[in-house]
Amino acid sequence: MTLSFPNPSRSFDEIRNAVRFTGHDGMFEVRFLVEAAALGFSGARGDADMAEARCLSAFDAARGSIHKAAMKAYANGRQSPAYMLTAADLRG
């Protein structure tokens, strides 16, 4: 099976300072996180709601390249409990 992203939902994980999203390999759900720093934010300081909104907006703008990076990471082997994507993953 190949990895797909049929569900466009994503959420901000304040503890990990990252955006969560999921992919699917057949019937299996695959969890991903992309660091806020990879989206151009060094930290979620100040207004937490504003930081969340900015990270989610940046994720939406870069969704295609994030999904490509997620597919590459997934092809490289299993990570548990979730694949963490960094700025290096989005550049490569």
Side-chain angles (χ1 to χ4, degrees), residues 11-21 33-45 48 50-59 62 66 84-87 90:
S11 62
F12 186 70
D13 184 325
E14 192 172 339
I15 293 171
R16 290 187 175 89
N17 198 31
V19 176
R20 294 180 163 278
F21 65 103
L33 294 145
V34 59
E35 293 177 339
L39 298 170
F41 302 100
S42 60
R45 300 205 191 300
M50 178 62 90
E52 177 178 345
R54 290 176 63 204
C55 282
L56 293 176
S57 179
F59 178 93
I66 291 168
M84 176 64 84
L85 303 177
T86 66
L90 298 183

Side-chain angles (χ1 to χ4, degrees), residues 16-85:
R16 290 187 175 89
N17 198 31
V19 176
R20 294 180 163 278
F21 65 103
T22 58
H24 288 85
D25 184 355
M27 62 184 233
F28 297 104
E29 184 177 87
V30 184
R31 296 181 196 136
F32 292 92
L33 294 145
V34 59
E35 293 177 339
L39 298 170
F41 302 100
S42 60
R45 300 205 191 300
D47 185 356
D49 290 336
M50 178 62 90
E52 177 178 345
R54 290 176 63 204
C55 282
L56 293 176
S57 179
F59 178 93
D60 291 340
R63 188 179 297 267
S65 60
I66 291 168
H67 286 174
K68 281 184 186 178
M71 285 187 259
K72 185 175 179 181
Y74 183 71
N76 286 336
R78 191 82 181 129
Q79 293 181 21
S80 181
Y83 292 82
M84 176 64 84
L85 303 177

